[in-house]
């Protein structure tokens, strides 16, 4: 019986392709279900034979650990070089959009706490 190995919702294309290549390299039989047109159902990678699931899971876990270490190393490298994005650099990149977002947040906060203003006064 087939077992779900990996939900593809939010997975970058390069990662999904690397997982497919990893499974093919280790001769693990799998199939893929695409997401539906409206994004309600998930795309996924399924292992055909449940006996292969443990091996496939080990392969996936090792791959994801390696990918995590590479991402952390890249972030540390960017921090050392001073090219890592900060809140200030993100704000400077799109100040108009960020000001609009801050305005929306302020309006929501105002209307959320406005009913309590009457309790304070009396």
């Amino acid at each position: 019986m087939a077992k779900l190995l990996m939900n593809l919702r939010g997975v970058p294309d390069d990662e999904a392709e690397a997982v497919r290549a990893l499974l093919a390299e280790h001769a693990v039989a799998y199939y893929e279900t695409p997401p539906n047109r409206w994004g309600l159902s998930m795309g996924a990678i399924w292992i055909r034979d449940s006996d292969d699931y443990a091996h496939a899971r080990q392969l996936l876990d090792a791959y994801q650990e390696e990918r995590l270490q590479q991402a952390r190393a890249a972030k540390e490298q960017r921090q050392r070089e001073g090219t890592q994005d900060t809140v200030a650099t993100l704000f400077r990149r799109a100040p108009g959009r960020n000001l609009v977002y801050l305005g929306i947040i302020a309006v929501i906060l105002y209307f959320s706490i406005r009913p309590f203003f009457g309790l304070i006064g009396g």
Side-chain angles (χ1 to χ4, degrees):
M1 179 173 193
K3 288 188 81 165
L4 175 66
L5 177 68
M6 183 177 191
N7 178 348
L8 294 177
R9 183 172 299 192
V11 174
D13 291 336
D14 66 321
E15 182 177 0
E17 189 57 42
V19 170
R20 290 182 202 106
L22 182 67
L23 293 173
E25 177 185 333
H26 289 275
V28 176
Y30 72 95
Y31 66 94
E32 197 170 336
T33 54
N36 77 349
R37 184 175 305 197
W38 299 280
L40 298 176
S41 68
M42 63 180 182
I45 295 177
W46 298 79
I47 302 301
R48 288 191 186 276
D49 186 6
S50 59
D51 295 337
D52 289 339
Y53 180 77
H55 178 60
R57 187 80 240 172
Q58 289 174 345
L59 292 171
L60 180 62
D61 290 344
Y63 168 75
Q64 287 180 332
E65 181 62 32
E66 178 184 329
R67 188 173 172 95
L68 174 66
Q69 295 306 322
Q70 290 172 353
R72 285 183 178 163
K75 180 182 177 186
E76 289 171 3
Q77 180 69 26
R78 288 190 306 270
Q79 286 175 335
R80 282 192 299 273
E81 295 171 352
T83 58
Q84 177 67 29
D85 285 338
T86 63
V87 172
T89 59
L90 292 174
F91 189 82
R92 275 187 247 124
R93 195 174 295 156
R97 181 183 63 195
N98 290 316
L99 288 174
V100 168
Y101 290 161
L102 287 174
I104 292 169
I105 291 169
V107 168
I108 291 171
L109 281 174
Y110 173 75
F111 284 113
S112 296
I113 61 175
R114 184 174 169 225
F116 298 105
F117 290 156
L119 297 175
I120 296 171

